[in-house]
Amino acid sequence: MDNNLESDWNKLLYKISEDFNVDADLNGTLLLIGIQEREEGFKESYSKEDKMALINLATCRLLMKWNYYSIEGYGEDKWPIFKKNKMIPPFTKDKEELLLKSSIVEYFKENAYLEA
């Protein structure tokens, strides 16, 4: 991970930890993005299934930036329906994590939560 990304990632995790009184990590950050994208507000607890759905929503949303997915509509439950535009290359775990972290940092910068 380059120094700027690593620095921004650590700043983001610290800010989330302080603001939400949690130990922030990759999956927790994806969960927050999923909650934000769902636009229903924060609930005190989520089932494992709900967490997985929100993390998936966040991941697809983040990968839209790289044109891996696009939204083709919304279901009756108002969840976005994603269309896969191209196959995601078989990244190593480290490369996949780097892509997600980079996308997460950009997401929070674009939404004015983290300084650009």
Side-chain angles (χ1 to χ4, degrees), residues 8 10 35 39 46-49 52 55 64 75 77 80 84 86 91 94 102 114-115:
D8 286 346
N10 289 330
I35 292 167
E39 297 181 345
Y46 293 90
S47 69
K48 184 176 181 176
E49 183 179 285
M52 293 306 297
I55 287 171
M64 284 175 59
D77 54 3
K84 187 177 260 187
K86 59 184 179 180
F91 292 127
D94 288 343
S102 172
L114 189 65
E115 292 180 17

Side-chain angles (χ1 to χ4, degrees), residues 32-89:
L32 285 175
I33 292 171
I35 292 167
Q36 173 70 23
E37 289 296 313
R38 190 69 180 118
E39 297 181 345
E40 289 187 344
F42 182 77
K43 295 190 293 188
E44 283 300 313
S45 65
Y46 293 90
S47 69
K48 184 176 181 176
E49 183 179 285
D50 288 343
K51 287 179 184 177
M52 293 306 297
L54 289 165
I55 287 171
N56 186 57
L57 168 61
T59 302
C60 291
R61 177 66 182 86
L62 291 170
L63 292 176
M64 284 175 59
K65 177 179 180 158
W66 306 100
N67 199 32
Y68 289 113
Y69 290 96
S70 59
I71 295 176
E72 67 176 14
Y74 292 86
E76 291 178 20
D77 54 3
K78 298 188 173 108
W79 278 78
I81 299 168
F82 290 96
K83 173 185 167 199
K84 187 177 260 187
N85 297 326
K86 59 184 179 180
M87 294 300 296
I88 300 170

Side-chain angles (χ1 to χ4, degrees), residues 12 15-17 19-20 108-115:
L12 176 62
K15 185 167 175 46
I16 290 170
S17 294
D19 290 351
F20 295 96
F108 280 103
K109 284 181 178 179
E110 290 168 2
N111 286 284
Y113 183 76
L114 189 65
E115 292 180 17

Side-chain angles (χ1 to χ4, degrees), residues 92-107:
T92 64
K93 184 169 175 54
D94 288 343
K95 182 87 171 169
E96 180 181 313
E97 192 172 289
L98 185 64
L99 176 67
L100 284 174
K101 286 180 178 179
S102 172
S103 299
I104 289 167
V105 165
E106 286 303 312
Y107 178 90

